[in-house]
Amino acid sequence: MQLLEDRIRKDGKVREGNVLKVDSFLNHQMDVNLFREIGKEFQRRFAGEEITKILTIEASGIGIACVVAEIFNVPVVFAKKTQTKNIAGDVYTTKVESFTHGRVYDIIVSKEFLGKGDKVLLIDDFLANGKALEGLATLVQDSGAELVGAGVVIEKGFQIGGKLLRDRGIHLESLAIVDGMNDKTGEITFRKQ
């Protein structure tokens, strides 16, 4: 998606340790007009698929997932990283390791919001090692719902996550795949799609 790649080149910041900061438009301050274009692109890439729910993980995927869900005209469910008093009853849970935060979370979705008959599209802002999306896919499987696919805004193509998910047979659509970053020059190389 050229619009997204241009924005990453313009406003993204490459940091040591393979970190790409896009918090000025994607996951801290959010450019909703860009999100709308992202949602339209996901709708184009998953055209013909019956999708009844969008599933993401808190927190940075929620904004994007909401706009995508608006375009698909379906609800959003987000996996919480902690059990709270307002999640009553039975839940699906699994463990997820966060590349960004360097820790393991228990993610939780109430059984009330995910189950047989649902056709689920996963949405997230980043894909690095694939642990968040693997965890979400596990929740979908445990619920008896059908996993339609996964949409990622930015994939780090030089990390293993995309390959693992594709090898697992998941229909993965990444709007921008970064093949390389240089923290000295700020240069970002994108994979041709």
Side-chain angles (χ1 to χ4, degrees):
M1 183 176 172
Q2 192 63 51
L3 176 70
L4 178 60
E5 290 180 10
D6 291 346
R7 187 65 180 270
I8 294 167
R9 278 193 182 98
K10 178 178 173 272
D11 293 328
K13 294 179 177 74
V14 179
R15 299 287 186 248
E16 190 175 339
N18 287 325
V19 173
L20 175 59
K21 289 184 60 68
V22 289
D23 56 352
S24 69
F25 63 93
L26 190 67
N27 54 21
H28 192 57
Q29 176 173 269
M30 295 180 265
D31 182 339
V32 178
N33 290 325
L34 176 62
F35 285 16
R36 192 171 301 107
E37 295 307 311
I38 286 168
K40 289 177 187 174
E41 183 63 15
F42 282 136
Q43 186 179 48
R44 186 185 73 75
R45 292 187 185 204
F46 289 98
E49 297 283 358
E50 184 184 351
I51 295 166
T52 63
K53 291 211 175 144
I54 302 290
L55 179 63
T56 193
I57 191 168
E58 72 176 348
S60 58
I62 294 173
I64 296 160
C66 285
V67 176
V68 172
E70 182 179 34
I71 289 176
F72 279 90
N73 195 31
V74 298
V76 174
V77 177
F78 69 90
K80 295 189 176 215
K81 291 182 181 172
T82 55
Q83 179 88 35
T84 60
K85 290 180 183 176
N86 64 356
I87 295 185
D90 291 334
V91 296
Y92 301 108
T93 185
T94 192
K95 295 194 178 303
V96 168
E97 181 182 349
S98 169
F99 173 82
T100 306
H101 298 104
R103 61 180 285 209
V104 176
Y105 294 95
D106 287 313
I107 61 169
I108 301 157
V109 170
S110 172
K111 289 184 178 182
E112 180 181 358
F113 303 123
L114 192 64
K116 285 183 176 41
D118 287 323
K119 297 178 187 305
V120 181
L121 175 63
L122 308 178
I123 295 290
D124 209 358
D125 59 341
F126 265 96
L127 171 58
N129 291 329
K131 300 302 181 188
L133 288 176
E134 282 184 342
L136 291 174
T138 297
L139 292 179
V140 172
Q141 179 181 348
D142 291 350
S143 77
E146 178 186 334
L147 179 60
V148 173
V152 174
V153 179
I154 301 170
E155 176 183 339
K156 292 179 177 177
F158 53 88
Q159 290 184 259
I160 192 87
K163 179 177 180 352
L164 290 175
L165 294 169
R166 289 179 182 98
D167 287 352
R168 208 173 136 179
I170 293 174
H171 175 190
L172 174 63
E173 292 289 342
S174 300
L175 301 187
I177 301 177
V178 176
D179 269 340
M181 302 185 298
N182 185 319
D183 62 355
K184 306 288 188 262
T185 65
E187 183 183 359
I188 302 167
T189 308
F190 292 99
R191 183 177 302 170
K192 294 289 182 213
Q193 296 189 66

